[in-house]
Each structure stands twice: as structure tokens, then as C-alpha cells.
């Protein structure tokens, strides 16, 4: 072919320079990855601390409260681990999509559809069949619902090249409002004035790990995260996805079926989101109220990019975010601040992550994640 096909090795997830260069051993790469991942978080905490000083609050006391409430306190630590279950599942879904260069922005809608169906069908299923069968079937329904919600943006992108940032975002609005419609309509409980589903009995929720109140959803999430890592790093399917994400033209010239990969990766990504919603309902709440939306998607974007789309690296980052989230709300209340203050910290993490990535790519001259995001946004503006 006359045209030059560029395939960035770094974009494929490997780092041959780092492996061969000085200090490029496993420990060196782990240290480098830790510094690059934690650096933006530390800078965001410093900036947040300065903002707290401006607001007349003590940042040391504020962050200390977060650590005590989210990690040191036994109950808070268990809440942190419980919060990690849906976050890890959603992070796994984002990694599958992002590795293929697919920007699945509609995770919140897919999450809520899985949650609404699990909450709506839960009480009836529990009354009609054994608990384990009900839990399994409800998780399957949520998984399928999340995957189905990605079909339209997936087909539009695969067949017509429609930018999925807009189409998946629009489908997210549909998913969020369809979930609310279900809760306020066919799934609405007749036992309360508040629009919500009937409650699954506490004894029939996902069972806890012995000696704790942490439900087994965290075990499922960790198994799937390891599975995502293994597939991405050690299988031909993972290599195909990374090649697709790095350079679709090269993938096509290599004989890959790009359309099939796009649709498949999109649906798997949505399935992870739907399963996360089911696990959150069946492990924590047992019911769902209308207009409930934890909005996990925005924060997870930052976390998976900080982890360089490495599934295993998301585990400590998700743990950090979960502890920060659980402890942060308590700290914000104690400091007389609204919960929205935590969103400012998340925004600062995103900002410093983007700056860090930009400087890194500028030094190396490579085309990494940030430039891939910017390229997608430029394509979106061109389409407009």
C-alpha cells in the first residue's frame, strides 16, 4: 500500500523502551507507573488543600477525617470495599471499550438499566424460585440489558462511522430516563408513596463474605478484572482490540473484522455496566428509587486513564477513590461543606492527569491516550 500505516507500540500497551532502557526492569516499570498514576492525584490533593485553606478549613484535618472514615474505621473500610464492587466492574467495561478506541460515554445509563431491571424483577423472582437461581438470573438480565443498550451506537459506528461519543451519550439519556420510567410505572411499589420498587428481603441479597458484611459481588468483580487483564495482555483477542484502538487502518490491513470487533467490544463494555448495576442493587440496596443515580461514570474515566487502561492497576486506584468517596462525604459534612466539594477534587484529578499525559507525550513524541481522545474530539467537530 502506498500510504503509511502508523502503529504506536505504546498505544498497544507495551513499552519496549522501558523494558530495555536503564532501570527498565519490572520494579522500574512498576515504580514509573506508580509515580505517573499517583502524581496527578497528589497534585489534586495539594490543590484541593489550598482551596480548603481559602474556604477557611483545615486541609490536614479534612484529609485525616477521610482516612479515618474510609480506611481506619472498620465499618468505613467495609463500606469502601463494598463500593469497590460496582466501580471495578464499570472500570473493566471502560477498559474493554477504550482499548479498542471506543468511547463508551453511556455507562451511567447502562448501569441504571441493569439496576432497574434487577430491582424491578427481584421481589417477584425471589418469591418464585430459589435465591441463588434468582440472583444469577437477575444478574444475567442486568448484564444483557447493559449490553443491548450499546447496540445502536455500536452499529452506527461500525457500519456508518458515526462518532460514538454523541450516540452513546444520547443512549445514556435514554437509559437513565427509561429506568426512571420503569420505576415510576410497571415496577412501582404499591406499599409506599415514594416512587420505588418493592424491597428484596435483606436475607435474600448477595451473601456476605464470612465475618464481614461485604457481599460477594466484590469477589465477582475482582475475578472479572483479572479476566479482563488476562484477555487484554495474553490473548489474540486482546491484541486485536489494542491494534484496533491504536490504528483502525492497520487493523483492517491486517485482516481484522473491525466492525465485528467494535460491536463486540461495545456490547461487552455495556454488559459490564449492566452487571455493575445489578450487583449494586442485589448487594447493597435491595430496591431502587426513581431518580437515583450515583453517577460513577465521570470519576471512572479518570481512574482508568490514570491506570493507563491496565485492569490490575485500576484496583488500587478504585480502592483509593472508594475510600475517598466514603470518607469524603463524612469529612465534607464535618467541615460544613456540600458533597459537591468532592466533585471538585475529582475534576482536579482529571485536570492534572490531562496535563501529566500531555507533557509525557510531548517529551516522548508518541501518540498516547490523550492524543487519541483529542483526535476523537477533533473528528467529532469535523463531523459537525
Amino acid at each position: 500500500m502506498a500510504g503509511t500505516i502508523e502503529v504506536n507500540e505504546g498505544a498497544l500497551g507495551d513499552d519496549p523502551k522501558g523494558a530495555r532502557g536503564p532501570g527498565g526492569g519490572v520494579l522500574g516499570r512498576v515504580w514509573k507507573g506508580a509515580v505517573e498514576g499517583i502524581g496527578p492525584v497528589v497534585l489534586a490533593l495539594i490543590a484541593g488543600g489550598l482551596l480548603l485553606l481559602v474556604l477557611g478549613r483545615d486541609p490536614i484535618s479534612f484529609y485525616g477525617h477521610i482516612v479515618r472514615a474510609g480506611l481506619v474505621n472498620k465499618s468505613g473500610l467495609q463500606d469502601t470495599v463494598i463500593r469497590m464492587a460496582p466501580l471495578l466492574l464499570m472500570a473493566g467495561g471502560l477498559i474493554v471499550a477504550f482499548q479498542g478506541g471506543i468511547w463508551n460515554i453511556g455507562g451511567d445509563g447502562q448501569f441504571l438499566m441493569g439496576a432497574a431491571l434487577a430491582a424491578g424483577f427481584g421481589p417477584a423472582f425471589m418469591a418464585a424460585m430459589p435465591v441463588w437461581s434468582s440472583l444469577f438470573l437477575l444478574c444475567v438480565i442486568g448484564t444483557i440489558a447493559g449490553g443491548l443498550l450499546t447496540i445502536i451506537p455500536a452499529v452506527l459506528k461500525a457500519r456508518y462511522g458515526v462518532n460514538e461519543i454523541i450516540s452513546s451519550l444520547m443512549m445514556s439519556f435514554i437509559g437513565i430516563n427509561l429506568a426512571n420510567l420503569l420505576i415510576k410505572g410497571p415496577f412501582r411499589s404499591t406499599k409506599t408513596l415514594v416512587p420505588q420498587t418493592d424491597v428484596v428481603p435483606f436475607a435474600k441479597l448477595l451473601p456476605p463474605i464470612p465475618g464481614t458484611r461485604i457481599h460477594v459481588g466484590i469477589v465477582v468483580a475482582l475475578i472479572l478484572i483479572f479476566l479482563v487483564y488476562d484477555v487484554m495482555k495474553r490473548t489474540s483477542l486482546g491484541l486485536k482490540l489494542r491494534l484496533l484502538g491504536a490504528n483502525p487502518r492497520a487493523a483492517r490491513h491486517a485482516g481484522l473484522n473491525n466492525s465485528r470487533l467494535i460491536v463486540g467490544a461495545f456490547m461487552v463494555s455495556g454488559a459490564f455496566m449492566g452487571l455493575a448495576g445489578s450487583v449494586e442493587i442485589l448487594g447493597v440496596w435491595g430496591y431502587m428509587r426513581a431518580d437515583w443515580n450515583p453517577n460513577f461514570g465521570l470519576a471512572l474515566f479518570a481512574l482508568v486513564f490514570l491506570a493507563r487502561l491496565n485492569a490490575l492497576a485500576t484496583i488500587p486506584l478504585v480502592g483509593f477513590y472508594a475510600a475517598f468517596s466514603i470518607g469524603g462525604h463524612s469529612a465534607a459534612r464535618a467541615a460544613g461543606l456540600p458533597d459537591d466539594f468532592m466533585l471538585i477534587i475529582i475534576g482536579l484529578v482529571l485536570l492534572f492527569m490531562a496535563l501529566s499525559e500531555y507533557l509525557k507525550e510531548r517529551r516522548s513524541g508518541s501518540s498516547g491516550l490523550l492524543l487519541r481522545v483529542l483526535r476523537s474530539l477533533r473528528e467529532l467537530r469535523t463531523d459537525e
Side-chain angles (χ1 to χ4, degrees):
M1 286 293 167
T4 300
I5 300 172
E6 177 191 355
V7 180
N8 187 303
E9 290 177 319
L12 290 177
D14 300 321
D15 186 8
K17 292 180 183 177
R20 292 192 297 265
V26 174
L27 290 178
R29 278 179 286 164
V30 170
W31 172 251
K32 182 182 175 184
V35 170
E36 290 177 348
I38 295 173
V41 177
V42 173
L43 290 174
L45 293 180
I46 293 173
L50 294 175
L51 182 58
L52 284 167
L53 285 174
V54 171
L55 294 173
R57 306 306 198 275
D58 181 0
I60 304 295
S61 173
F62 186 85
Y63 291 138
H65 194 123
I66 290 177
V67 172
R68 288 193 301 276
L71 291 174
V72 177
N73 180 279
K74 184 180 177 182
S75 177
L77 178 60
Q78 294 190 65
D79 286 339
T80 294
V81 178
I82 291 170
R83 176 64 58 84
M84 287 178 66
L87 294 178
L88 283 174
L89 288 169
M90 294 182 76
L94 288 178
I95 288 171
V96 170
F98 290 169
Q99 285 283 17
I102 303 162
W103 308 108
N104 180 11
I105 310 297
D108 285 332
Q110 296 147 21
F111 173 91
L112 288 177
M113 276 304 298
L117 292 176
F121 288 125
F125 280 24
M126 294 294 176
M129 62 182 77
V131 173
W132 276 107
S133 301
S134 301
L135 291 172
F136 176 76
L137 193 55
L138 290 168
C139 286
V140 170
I141 289 174
T143 302
I144 293 174
L148 290 178
L149 209 60
T150 66
I151 282 185
I152 292 177
V155 171
L156 288 176
K157 178 178 177 62
R159 297 203 57 176
Y160 306 106
V162 175
N163 193 298
E164 73 279 16
I165 292 177
I166 289 295
S167 57
S168 63
L169 187 61
M170 293 300 103
M171 287 305 296
S172 182
F173 282 118
I174 293 175
I176 291 171
N177 288 292
L178 183 57
N180 276 329
L181 190 64
L182 289 172
I183 300 301
K184 294 176 180 176
F187 290 156
R188 180 167 182 166
S189 172
T190 56
K191 302 172 183 173
T192 174
L193 295 177
V194 178
Q196 67 173 60
T197 65
D198 284 327
V199 181
V200 175
F202 182 77
K204 295 184 176 180
L205 295 178
L206 288 173
I209 296 172
T212 73
R213 55 184 177 81
I214 301 169
H215 62 75
V216 297
I218 186 64
V219 179
V220 175
L222 287 171
I223 290 173
L224 290 176
I225 278 291
F226 276 94
L227 182 63
V228 168
Y229 176 83
D230 195 61
V231 168
M232 290 299 163
K233 294 292 185 183
R234 299 194 176 94
T235 69
S236 61
L237 177 60
L239 179 62
K240 290 175 183 176
L241 261 184
R242 288 186 286 141
L243 178 57
L244 173 68
N247 191 321
R249 284 184 60 207
R252 191 175 300 110
H253 282 269
L256 302 186
N257 188 330
N258 286 8
S259 297
R260 185 180 299 174
L261 281 173
I262 290 170
V263 173
F266 227 138
M267 291 191 68
V268 170
S269 176
F272 269 80
M273 305 294 179
L275 177 60
S278 301
V279 166
E280 180 69 357
I281 291 297
L282 298 174
V284 179
W285 300 99
Y287 71 99
M288 179 173 168
R289 283 187 176 177
D291 301 320
W292 173 73
N293 185 357
N295 287 313
F296 290 141
L298 175 62
L300 285 171
F301 278 17
L303 297 179
V304 297
F305 278 112
L306 283 172
R308 314 287 175 190
L309 305 188
N310 182 316
L312 296 186
T314 60
I315 297 175
L317 289 170
V318 164
F320 167 81
Y321 173 75
F324 205 76
S325 174
I326 295 294
H329 292 303
S330 174
R333 284 194 298 272
L337 293 171
D339 286 345
D340 294 341
F341 183 78
M342 301 310 298
L343 296 177
I344 295 177
I345 300 293
I346 293 169
L348 289 170
V349 173
L350 277 168
L351 176 64
F352 284 110
M353 179 272 292
L355 289 174
S356 170
E357 187 72 13
Y358 173 76
L359 293 175
K360 178 189 170 190
E361 292 174 10
R362 188 170 180 177
R363 281 199 305 271
S364 64
S366 65
S367 177
L369 292 171
L370 179 62
L371 293 183
R372 288 160 61 188
V373 174
L374 293 176
R375 191 183 304 132
S376 294
L377 293 175
R378 279 200 299 270
E379 290 172 355
L380 177 61
R381 292 189 65 183
T382 303
D383 293 341
E384 290 173 347

